[in-house]
């Protein structure tokens, strides 16, 4: 049967057909849809884990118990889960265990551009890289077989362009669950990593790599396609597709398994061509490993180390070193350079808007459009931040976030700034999903070490940034079942925070009072700002409108950055199709002229 | 336009339904017997950012990404986005542009300027004079649901693609919730009619 599947859907279907019983993940672009797809299969247990470390540990436990398990994370998620990942490599598994890392070259939706292929080498585990949806589907079966054959977790590395592209998949298998007794067999030398036992495991890991490399020599995952012999290209993943478009006639060694590499096969291929070229996105991972085999190879002379690759970049690089001749494609004049950009925005009705407006105005960051020059007053608040939709508040006009490093970092950073002795008050802002992911332990730290910061938890009841997944605070499982919800307020009180306030995200006055009180309190404080994600507002009613008779065009309402509020030739208007109305009303609350109200009233009072 | 291979971009603003529209094109092309590849770039936008879908129908290349200067058909749900992606058009390609402006925040707060209709048109015509402007947002509003814009635009585009009307509708039926299916099918028909009336070919 032919189906059009995204790389992520194909990975999930491949894993399902390979008999996966337990699938875990924490959301993260571009990996999220893998678990979302797994969750649709009734005979799989699929969970959103609290974070990637827990996801890895749950999957490892399942593998120890003899079933096939799958973990899917975005590239930085593997950082969070790297400790149990290394442990999984050390102990080995029992049932097959596959870890999918979806990297994001070009950083379409990420805070960094790391190349996770290095993790395969670090952890000494086999790595597969599919180059389209068909391979994404097929490689999962290989991955689980390799995992069990060699007693190792297997890393499957995808990238945004694999995970988020759709192509035709010939689905030629159905689900087969390996017949094996489910159960955990005690084996302390394998599963209890006391130094004495770990010392026994390390040589086994080295030995395993040698065996997997021998497998790679003959595996159909790696294939040679002879073309013209003057150029031989080694490539894997999406770079293979780009390379064969750029060099349609060349010979190819297409690698499906990129760690460990097949030494003999590479030497054989190199001997058959005049020039050996490696085409790869980001780091020279293959290049350096191949050079270490004593082969001469052209690599990063052609392709950049930075950003997403494409065929045109490869061709340009190849021309630069004389590997492609002929007339270079004419450079198109840059006709779009002058156009206004369109960065993502907080939605109309976003529950993050009000709190950031308050922080921005209390911290003296706002600059009204008609105020001249730079504000002479320095900001009096330092706002450490985190990752989520709310990171968009760092953009103008709100300008209300000063740091974003990695998930959960903002609270520790705030504490560090306070302990460093900065004079500003320090506030850490964090989303609910991010707080549960990695914000709890820094609050424990702040309680223990007597921090005086204010932590603001933005509780919109979902993981909005990645497409609204449930999390432990929502009490709904990845498979849509009602479970127990973690109570944020009781959680922080339980840790020992005494000043805890819960405020309505759509009540500006209430937010302002709470923030002011916490900033005046010399102790550690937590504010939970609660309001539903705008995308979840079920029924929209009572869109707002501007009374042009009262409006003096001061521009205050534009300072919240709501996409529904538009200004044309100085006159402010609200797009009623975008406004969420009654559920929000932030613009109405902050308008100094009381010129904003329900459309029905505003237009009702207007003179004809 | 060659019937065997079509390289196509669907562009717009997050929330306008670009991804669903391009999904339906891809599924319809598969049903019609073509090889198809599709890739989306939507950044971190849930809403409000610039969105582009690359669609390759037929077997012209291996990469899911289409190169600048090689697009046969650009379908733009918004004018600024049409201008932004016009460098992807090959000379003489077709562009179908929804006559609607969504001003970015920077324009609203006055730090950047939205291009005039003449500027958009000049930019587009550097590539092709086969630029068709359609009133999709207005038509969708008349239908009482502005979210049907994407199916209206599909209707306009369908005239240029080697796929039967029946196939389009089957694929729409599979993807669109039944409560709003009828209005979307009507929007598709209206788009197709507007395309015929406007001589899109
Ligand atoms: C280690 C890691 N895992 C996952 C992600 C992707 N990611 C970024 S923020 C975020 C959570 C956002 O949810 P929340 O904190 O509730 O904020 P919201 O977007 O709902 O405002 C996720 C999943 C990441 N950047 N890093």
């Amino acid at each position: 049967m032919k189906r059009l599947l995204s790389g992520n859907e194909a990975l999930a279907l491949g894993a399902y057909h390979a008999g996966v019983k337990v699938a875990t993940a924490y959301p993260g672009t571009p990996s999220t849809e893998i678990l979302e797809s797994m969750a649709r299969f009734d005979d799989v247990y699929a969970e959103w884990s609290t974070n990637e470390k827990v996801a890895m540990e749950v999957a490892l436990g399942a593998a120890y118990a003899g079933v096939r398990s799958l973990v899917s994370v975005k590239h930085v998620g593997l950082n969070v889960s790297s400790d149990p990942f290394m442990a999984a490599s050390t102990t080995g598994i029992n049932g097959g265990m596959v870890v999918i890392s979806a990297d994001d070259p070009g950083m379409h939706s990420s805070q960094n551009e790391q190349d996770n292929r290095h993790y395969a080498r670090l952890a000494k585990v086999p790595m597969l890289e599919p180059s389209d949806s068909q391979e994404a589907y097929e490689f999962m079966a290989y991955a689980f077989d390799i995992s069990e054959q060699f007693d190792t977790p297997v890393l499957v590395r995808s990238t945004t362009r694999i995970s988020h592209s759709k192509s035709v998949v010939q689905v030629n298998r159905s689900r087969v669950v390996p017949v094996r007794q489910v159960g955990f067999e005690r084996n302390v030398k394998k599963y209890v990593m006391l130094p004495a036992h770990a010392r026994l495991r390390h040589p086994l890991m080295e030995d395993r790599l040698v065996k997997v490399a021998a497998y790679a020599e003959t595996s159909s995952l790696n294939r040679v396609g002879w073309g013209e012999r003057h150029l031989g290209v080694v490539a894997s993943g999406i770079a293979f597709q780009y390379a064969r478009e750029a060099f349609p006639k060349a010979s190819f060694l297409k690698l499906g398994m990129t760690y460990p590499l097949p030494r003999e096969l590479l030497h054989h291929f190199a001997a058959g061509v005049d020039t050996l070229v490696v085409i790869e996105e980001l780091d020279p991972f293959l290049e350096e490993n191949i050079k270490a085999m004593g082969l001469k190879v052209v690599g990063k002379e052609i392709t950049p180390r930075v950003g997403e690759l494409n065929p045109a970049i490869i061709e340009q690089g190849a021309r630069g070193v004389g590997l492609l001749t002929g007339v270079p494609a004419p450079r198109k004049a840059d006709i779009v350079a002058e156009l206004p950009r369109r960065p993502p925005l907080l939605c109309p009705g976003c529950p993050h808007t009000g709190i950031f407006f308050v922080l921005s105005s209390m911290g003296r960051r706002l600059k009204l459009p008609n105020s001249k020059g730079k504000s002479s007053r320095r900001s009096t608040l330092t706002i450490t931040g985190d990752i989520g939709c709310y990171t968009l508040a760092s953009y103008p006009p709100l300008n209300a976030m000063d740091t974003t490093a990695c998930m959960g970092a903002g609270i520790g950073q705030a504490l560090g700034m306070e302990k460093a002795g900065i004079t500003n008050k320090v506030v850490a802002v964090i989303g609910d999903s991010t707080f549960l992911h990695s914000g709890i332990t820094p609050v424990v730290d702040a309680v223990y070490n007597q921090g005086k910061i204010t932590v603001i938890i933005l509780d919109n009841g979902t993981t909005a940034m990645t497409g609204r997944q449930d999390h432990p605070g929502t009490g709904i499982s990845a498979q849509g079942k009602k479970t127990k919800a973690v109570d944020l307020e009781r959680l922080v009180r339980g840790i020992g925070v005494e000043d805890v306030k819960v405020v309505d995200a759509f009540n500006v006055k209430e937010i302002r009072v709470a923030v002011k009180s916490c900033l005046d309190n010399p102790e550690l404080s937590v504010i939970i700002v609660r309001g539903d994600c705008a995308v979840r507002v079920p029924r929209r009613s009572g869109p707002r409108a501007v009374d042009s008779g009262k409006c003096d065009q001061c521009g205050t309402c534009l300072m919240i950055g709501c996409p529904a509020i538009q200004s044309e030739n100085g006159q402010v208007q609200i797009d009623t199709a975008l406004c969420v109305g009654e559920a929000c009303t932030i613009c109405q609350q902050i308008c100094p002229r009381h010129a904003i109200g329900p459309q029905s009233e505003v237009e009702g009072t207007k003179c004809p | 336009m060659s019937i065997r291979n079509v390289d196509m971009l669907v562009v717009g603003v997050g929330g306008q339904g670009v991804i669903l529209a391009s999904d339906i094109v891809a599924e319809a092309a598969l049903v019609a017997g073509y090889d198809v590849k599709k890739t989306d770039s939507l950044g971190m936008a849930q809403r409000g950012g610039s969105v582009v879908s690359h669609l390759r129908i037929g077997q012209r290349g291996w990469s899911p990404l289409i190169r600048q200067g090689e697009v046969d058909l650009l379908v733009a749900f918004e004018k600024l986005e049409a201008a932004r992606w016009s460098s992807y058009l090959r000379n003489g390609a077709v562009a179908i542009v929804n006559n609607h402006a969504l001003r970015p925040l920077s324009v609203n707060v006055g730090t950047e300027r939205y291009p005039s209709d003449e500027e958009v048109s000049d930019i587009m015509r550097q590539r092709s004079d086969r630029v068709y402007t359609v009133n999709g947002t207005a038509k969708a509003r008349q239908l009482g649901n502005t979210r049907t814009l994407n199916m209206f635009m599909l209707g306009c585009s369908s005239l240029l693609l080697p796929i039967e009307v029946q196939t389009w509708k089957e694929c729409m039926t599979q993807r669109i919730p039944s409560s709003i299916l009828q209005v979307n099918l009507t929007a598709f028909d209206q788009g197709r009619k507007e395309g015929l009336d406007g001589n899109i070919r």
Side-chain angles (χ1 to χ4, degrees), chain A residues 519-548:
Chain A
L519 291 180
D520 289 343
N521 178 2
E523 303 292 307
L524 176 67
S525 53
V526 169
I527 305 173
I528 299 170
V529 182
R530 188 161 286 151
D532 263 347
C533 176
V535 187
R536 301 188 339 151
V537 173
R539 203 174 291 278
R540 301 171 172 223
S541 66
R544 304 290 113 165
V546 180
D547 184 336
S548 53

Side-chain angles (χ1 to χ4, degrees), chain A residues 4 108 161 165-166 241-242 244-245 311 315 332 335-336 340-342 347 397 464 467 565-567, chain B residues 23 26 37-39 41 43 46-47 56 62-63 65 67 78 81 83-84 102-103 108 113 126-127:
Chain A
L4 187 69
H108 297 277
R161 213 43 86 184
S165 293
K166 289 191 169 180
Q241 307 294 2
Y242 300 155
R244 61 174 170 165
E245 214 170 286
E315 284 171 10
K332 309 283 180 194
I335 48 180
V336 294
R341 293 183 330 110
R342 197 189 293 278
C347 300
I565 306 178
Q566 311 221 324
S567 151
Chain B
D23 268 355
K37 292 189 240 337
K38 174 198 135 131
T39 191
S41 284
Q46 278 287 311
R47 289 280 182 283
R56 308 194 80 174
W62 300 106
S63 158
L65 289 168
R67 299 174 205 221
E78 201 270 350
E81 297 309 311
R84 192 189 311 286
L102 285 169
R103 278 182 294 279
N108 277 328
R113 193 178 60 79
Q126 287 181 33
R127 279 288 175 278

